Amino acid sequence: MARLPDPVGHLGPKARRLYDELAAKRGRIDGMYRSLLNHPDLLEHVAQLGTYFRFGDSTLPGELRELAILRFARLAGVGYEWCKHEPVAVGLGLSADLLAQLQNGEKPDGLTPVQSLVHDAVEYVFRAESLPAELQAGLEKELGLEPMIELVVLCGFYGMIARVITSFDVPLPPGCPDPFAPEP
């Protein structure tokens, strides 16, 4: 099992500043961000993009962002991402039924047209395949050019996060069972 050391007990000045900034914005630092505190320069760049998507001036609506993140988490089988983002998705109005179907790997019933486009686009990005022309045209019509591009970059960002979580065996958040574990 690969694990990075927990650096919090011996943070240098830059890492301490980043820790404090991230904790103030996110409430607490655990998981992937805590692991990346071992490389403060890299964490600073990763956190800037994550903050842009989650708390910044992103043009992608929050409910679509969370749908995309949860779809990506399911495809990648990364329960940590699911555990961190499911409550955010609920807070943004995604229904329990929609989330349950998504968690089971199904395309949820009752998606709006734009949600359906986002759901489908995430799979193409996950598989590293070109978006079909009609899907790209639909996304651009429903979202606009910049939010469509952000959707693709968001998936790439969460792909990177998934690799860090998986490569270094970042544990699930406390109190969150593996959302993708097979039922006994």
Side-chain angles (χ1 to χ4, degrees), residues 84-163:
K84 294 300 270 187
H85 287 273
E86 182 183 31
V88 178
V90 169
L92 290 170
L94 294 177
S95 73
D97 287 344
L98 182 149
L99 295 174
Q101 291 174 58
L102 200 61
Q103 185 177 358
N104 289 331
E106 304 163 11
K107 184 169 183 176
D109 300 325
L111 292 175
T112 66
V114 70
Q115 288 174 332
S116 183
L117 290 167
V118 166
H119 177 277
D120 294 350
V122 171
E123 186 161 345
Y124 282 95
V125 177
F126 176 79
R127 294 189 320 230
E129 295 178 7
S130 178
L131 297 177
E134 62 277 4
L135 179 57
Q136 180 178 342
L139 285 165
E140 193 169 344
K141 179 180 180 231
E142 291 291 326
L143 293 174
L145 181 62
E146 288 183 1
M148 178 189 64
I149 294 168
E150 283 188 23
L151 173 64
V152 171
V153 174
L154 176 79
C155 291
F157 178 76
Y158 276 91
M160 175 193 63
I161 299 301
R163 268 59 174 193

Side-chain angles (χ1 to χ4, degrees), residues 4 34 47 53 74-75 78 83 101 104 114 133 139 147 162 166 177 182:
L4 294 174
R34 192 173 185 113
F53 283 126
R74 181 62 184 109
L75 289 168
V78 180
C83 289
Q101 291 174 58
N104 289 331
V114 70
L139 285 165
T166 303

Side-chain angles (χ1 to χ4, degrees), residues 27-106:
R28 61 182 283 193
I29 301 303
D30 59 8
M32 188 276 310
Y33 283 103
R34 192 173 185 113
S35 296
L36 288 182
L37 278 166
N38 286 286
H39 191 328
D41 292 335
L42 180 61
L43 173 59
E44 185 170 37
H45 296 291
V46 171
Q48 285 173 347
L49 188 53
T51 297
Y52 171 80
F53 283 126
R54 181 89 185 276
F55 305 106
D57 296 326
S58 173
T59 61
L60 188 63
E63 132 236 346
L64 297 177
R65 176 194 70 229
E66 295 304 319
L67 174 66
I69 293 168
L70 292 175
R71 174 73 173 134
F72 197 95
R74 181 62 184 109
L75 289 168
V78 180
Y80 182 91
E81 287 178 346
W82 184 276
C83 289
K84 294 300 270 187
H85 287 273
E86 182 183 31
V88 178
V90 169
L92 290 170
L94 294 177
S95 73
D97 287 344
L98 182 149
L99 295 174
Q101 291 174 58
L102 200 61
Q103 185 177 358
N104 289 331
E106 304 163 11

